[in-house]
Amino acid sequence: SGKWFQNKVARKIKGKMSVSKKREAFDKNIQSACDNFPTQMAVVEKGGKEVYVDWRDAMANREGKVNIQRMSPEITQNVAAACRQLLHQEFQ
């Protein structure tokens, strides 16, 4: 989702834009920033820290050697809700 945010929001903001144009581009693109999470996510321990990953990547070992802590449909809902809270309420 970080890469998605970078592609869909951050790259729309150019250094030469005025502050008001940057704000306009950010506001226009931020609305959908929390809509692109995987349908199933897992919490894994990776490098001594808990991180959220796509469940399919964890099961296929694409995340490397990890210790799966939790898997549930609610994880994606909770991550999306936290994203919306942070972007739409805390930063406004």
Side-chain angles (χ1 to χ4, degrees):
S1 291
K3 288 180 185 176
W4 188 90
F5 178 85
Q6 184 179 22
N7 287 331
K8 298 296 181 185
V9 179
R11 288 194 177 154
K12 308 289 188 220
I13 300 170
K14 308 296 181 199
K16 294 180 181 180
M17 291 176 144
S18 68
V19 173
S20 63
K21 289 285 185 187
K22 287 179 183 179
R23 174 49 101 179
E24 182 181 321
F26 180 82
D27 289 342
K28 178 182 174 188
N29 294 292
I30 197 66
Q31 298 302 317
S32 62
C34 299
D35 296 338
N36 200 32
F37 289 104
T39 54
Q40 293 181 308
M41 294 180 75
V43 177
V44 299
E45 186 177 328
K46 187 175 180 180
K49 296 181 180 180
E50 285 190 349
V51 294
Y52 294 97
V53 299
D54 187 322
W55 175 80
R56 292 171 294 186
D57 291 344
M59 297 308 291
N61 291 325
R62 285 179 265 194
E63 292 293 330
K65 184 142 175 84
V66 295
N67 182 11
I68 297 174
Q69 302 292 318
R70 293 184 305 281
M71 290 188 301
S72 129
E74 290 81 27
I75 291 174
T76 301
Q77 295 167 358
N78 293 342
V79 169
C83 178
R84 284 189 294 278
Q85 170 75 25
L86 184 66
L87 294 180
H88 299 294
Q89 295 176 7
E90 300 298 326
F91 284 141
Q92 294 299 325

